């Protein structure tokens, strides 16, 4: 990882010099035992702790510890994990990967696994300030090149300052040859519709609103698709509780629960597709408002095109619309499984309107069908 200027010390990941202390804290943390037991009930936890304490660099931690752990997680929670487009990655320059966002942790970590498989350097990853607890999570994240990003605040001055700081960080990292992963929006999509926020694009260009700045970032879309959406019912419930127009207030520990659920939930088939750098040839210089919107549109177009539609997406569309339009695209047994899971999840919330919650649940899975440029022709 590149050495960063001191002004980024408040948000940067750990340096190699800070890894031994982080490994010691993680090895001594009681949370490590249940986490490892989930992956392998017979694992020798003491031996794993001893191995952690020998780690000295980020690269060593990621290659020797994270890749095997994530591979075990893939084997335990996924039917199959595939990727496409990674063979075209050019590691001779830094790249800003802009990804649709379905799971707090797995989206970025599956990207890291693929980079490692293709012998490409892993990248910096956004780490929301709301997720930085407990200490085990902080150490785990910052040892994996995760950098702090502040969530939106009502204080405009503070928000603009943190946005400029983040923009400077991203541009510095990419311009100095490291790559970086960022979500296309603030937080995970809760309605199944992947949309790039134009505010994100404006943030990236706060210190250089021209074509050269866009080209220097090598903005490359990523599209990740899960057969079984991580935290599906939790997302539906969150949307349900905002139907009255009031902001959703998370309970203490809710983010950590979402992290754990997203990691441990069965996901079926999962596919990660690497897009190609966006085309700036038709833009004005300096960029106009419509050029900013066009950047977001290009990202969205690649995400939608590369999104792998699964049986569950087609089932949800037909159930939501009361049709059999896509009956030929899924196995009837999958439909039964989908309905059974959905009704089981909804039954856990007896105080909520089941019909409305069911609609929100179905929209999460049906959303990618609506967005796919070919599906509804």
């Amino acid at each position: 990882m590149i050495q960063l200027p001191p002004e980024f010390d408040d948000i940067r990941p750990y340096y190699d010099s800070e890894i031994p202390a982080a490994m010691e804290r993680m090895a001594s943390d009681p949370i490590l035992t249940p986490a490892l037991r989930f992956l392998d009930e017979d694992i020798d936890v003491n031996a794993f702790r001893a191995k952690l304490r020998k780690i000295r660099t980020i690269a060593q931690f990621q290659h020797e510890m994270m890749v095997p752990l994530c591979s075990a997680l893939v084997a335990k929670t996924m039917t199959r994990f595939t990727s496409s487009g990674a063979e075209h990655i050019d590691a001779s320059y830094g790249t800003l990967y802009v990804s649709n966002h379905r799971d707090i942790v797995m989206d970025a970590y599956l990207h890291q696994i693929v980079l490692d498989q293709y012998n490409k350097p892993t990248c910096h990853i956004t780490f929301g300030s709301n997720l930085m607890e407990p200490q085990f999570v902080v150490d785990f994240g910052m040892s994996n090149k995760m950098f702090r990003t502040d969530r939106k605040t009502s204080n405009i001055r503070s928000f603009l300052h943190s946005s400029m700081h983040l923009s400077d960080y991203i541009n510095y990292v990419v311009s100095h040859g490291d790559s970086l992963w960022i979500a296309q929006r603030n937080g995970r999509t809760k309605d199944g519709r992947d949309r790039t926020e134009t505010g994100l694009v404006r943030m990236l260009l706060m210190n250089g609103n021209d074509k050269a700045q866009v080209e220097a970032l090598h903005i490359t879309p990523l599209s990740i698709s899960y057969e079984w959406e991580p935290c599906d019912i939790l997302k539906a419930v969150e949307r349900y509780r905002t139907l009255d127009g009031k902001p959703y207030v998370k309970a203490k520990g809710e983010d950590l629960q979402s992290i754990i659920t997203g990691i441990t939930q069965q996901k079926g088939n999962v596919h990660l597709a690497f897009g190609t750098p966006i085309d700036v040839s038709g833009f004005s210089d300096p960029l106009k408002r419509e050029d900013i919107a066009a950047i977001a549109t290009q990202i969205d177009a690649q995400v939608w095109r590369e999104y792998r539609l699964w049986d569950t997406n087609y089932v949800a569309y037909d159930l939501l619309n009361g049709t059999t339009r896509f009956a030929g695209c899924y196995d009837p047994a999958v439909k039964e499984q989908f309905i059974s899971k959905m009704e089981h999840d909804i039954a856990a919330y007896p105080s909520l309107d089941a019909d409305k919650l069911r609609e929100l649940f179905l929209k999460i899975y049906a959303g990618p069908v609506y967005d796919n440029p070919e599906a509804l022709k």
Side-chain angles (χ1 to χ4, degrees):
M1 192 179 86
I2 60 171
Q3 188 74 21
L4 292 154
E7 58 261 35
F8 295 130
D9 280 351
D10 59 330
I11 62 173
R12 65 165 175 81
Y14 289 149
Y15 288 136
D16 284 345
S17 60
E18 297 164 306
I19 291 299
M23 296 300 105
E24 178 59 39
R25 288 192 296 271
M26 290 174 65
S28 302
D29 199 307
I31 199 174
L32 184 63
T33 298
L36 293 174
R37 293 287 188 218
F38 170 76
L39 293 174
D40 183 356
E41 293 182 358
D42 299 320
I43 193 169
D44 187 333
V45 177
N46 288 330
F48 189 92
R49 294 182 191 277
K51 189 174 181 180
L52 263 183
R53 291 185 169 105
K54 294 179 181 179
I55 298 295
R56 292 293 178 266
T57 67
I58 292 172
Q60 186 184 7
F61 176 63
Q62 290 191 317
H63 188 71
E64 295 183 14
M65 307 297 287
M66 287 308 304
V67 170
L69 281 175
C70 286
S71 297
L73 189 62
V74 166
K76 191 175 184 66
T77 66
M78 300 178 195
T79 304
R80 190 182 181 204
F81 172 55
T82 55
S83 67
S84 59
E87 64 275 14
H88 302 305
I89 294 173
D90 187 343
S92 65
Y93 53 77
T95 297
L96 175 61
Y97 295 101
V98 181
S99 175
N100 65 329
H101 196 19
R102 298 292 178 136
D103 185 72
I104 295 174
V105 171
M106 295 307 297
D107 296 350
Y109 277 95
L110 290 173
H111 177 225
Q112 299 284 59
I113 288 178
V114 176
L115 291 176
D116 185 81
Q117 288 173 342
Y118 281 83
N119 296 314
K120 308 294 184 182
T122 55
C123 62
H124 299 232
I125 305 171
T126 52
F127 195 4
S129 56
N130 59 306
L131 304 176
M132 297 186 73
E133 59 175 352
Q135 185 61 43
F136 183 89
V137 172
V138 175
D139 287 332
F140 179 85
M142 294 180 68
S143 298
N144 275 291
K145 297 186 180 179
M146 296 185 80
F147 63 96
R148 177 191 175 99
T149 57
D150 290 323
R151 300 303 295 265
K152 287 184 177 179
T153 172
S154 57
N155 186 314
I156 299 300
R157 184 184 297 273
S158 175
F159 174 67
L160 289 175
H161 173 76
S162 62
S163 296
M164 179 65 80
H165 195 40
L166 178 60
S167 180
D168 289 342
Y169 179 88
I170 292 171
N171 280 275
Y172 187 93
V173 167
V174 176
S175 66
H176 285 74
D178 273 9
S179 292
L180 189 146
W181 181 100
I182 192 168
Q184 66 179 169
R185 48 171 291 149
N186 183 30
R188 296 162 296 160
T189 180
K190 307 296 198 315
D191 62 359
R193 311 299 291 271
D194 297 311
R195 296 287 188 276
T196 302
E197 293 178 342
T198 53
L200 169 72
V201 181
R202 288 194 292 270
M203 179 276 292
L204 296 173
L205 303 176
M206 289 180 82
N207 60 3
N209 187 34
D210 54 35
K211 288 169 65 173
Q213 186 76 7
V214 180
E215 289 179 313
L217 286 170
H218 303 287
I219 299 173
T220 301
L222 294 174
S223 184
I224 188 161
S225 44
Y226 298 87
E227 183 178 16
W228 295 98
E229 181 84 3
C231 300
D232 44 14
I233 189 61
L234 299 181
K235 294 175 182 178
V237 169
E238 181 173 335
R239 288 198 67 213
Y240 181 98
R241 289 176 171 156
T242 60
L243 292 176
D244 58 3
K246 296 179 181 179
Y248 182 74
V249 180
K250 293 182 179 179
K252 183 175 177 59
E254 187 171 339
D255 283 322
L256 180 58
Q257 183 59 47
S258 291
I259 290 175
I260 295 171
T261 302
I263 290 173
T264 59
Q265 184 177 346
Q266 292 298 311
K267 303 167 189 69
N269 292 297
V270 182
H271 185 76
L272 175 64
F274 288 72
T276 56
I278 63 169
D279 179 16
V280 302
S281 60
F283 294 168
S284 301
D285 204 3
L287 300 175
K288 297 180 180 179
R289 180 180 297 179
E290 53 264 34
D291 297 321
I292 300 295
I295 292 172
T297 298
Q298 281 198 44
I299 295 170
D300 290 347
Q302 289 200 46
V303 168
W304 300 341
R305 185 182 68 240
E306 299 297 335
Y307 194 100
R308 184 71 58 86
L309 293 174
W310 307 107
D311 287 16
T312 50
N313 302 118
Y314 292 119
V315 166
Y317 179 94
D318 277 353
L319 290 173
L320 183 64
N321 293 282
T323 72
T324 56
R325 178 173 183 173
F326 292 108
C329 297
Y330 52 81
D331 189 314
V334 174
K335 182 177 181 179
E336 290 182 14
Q337 181 185 7
F338 183 93
I339 294 173
S340 176
K341 172 185 162 29
M342 176 175 64
E343 296 303 328
H344 175 270
D345 290 349
I346 290 173
Y349 299 89
S351 64
L352 306 186
D353 184 317
D355 288 338
K356 192 61 185 177
L357 189 56
R358 186 177 297 108
E359 178 186 352
L360 295 172
F361 187 95
L362 290 173
K363 284 182 175 179
I364 292 173
Y365 284 93
V369 180
Y370 286 103
D371 287 335
N372 189 281
E374 301 295 327
L376 297 179
K377 282 187 177 180

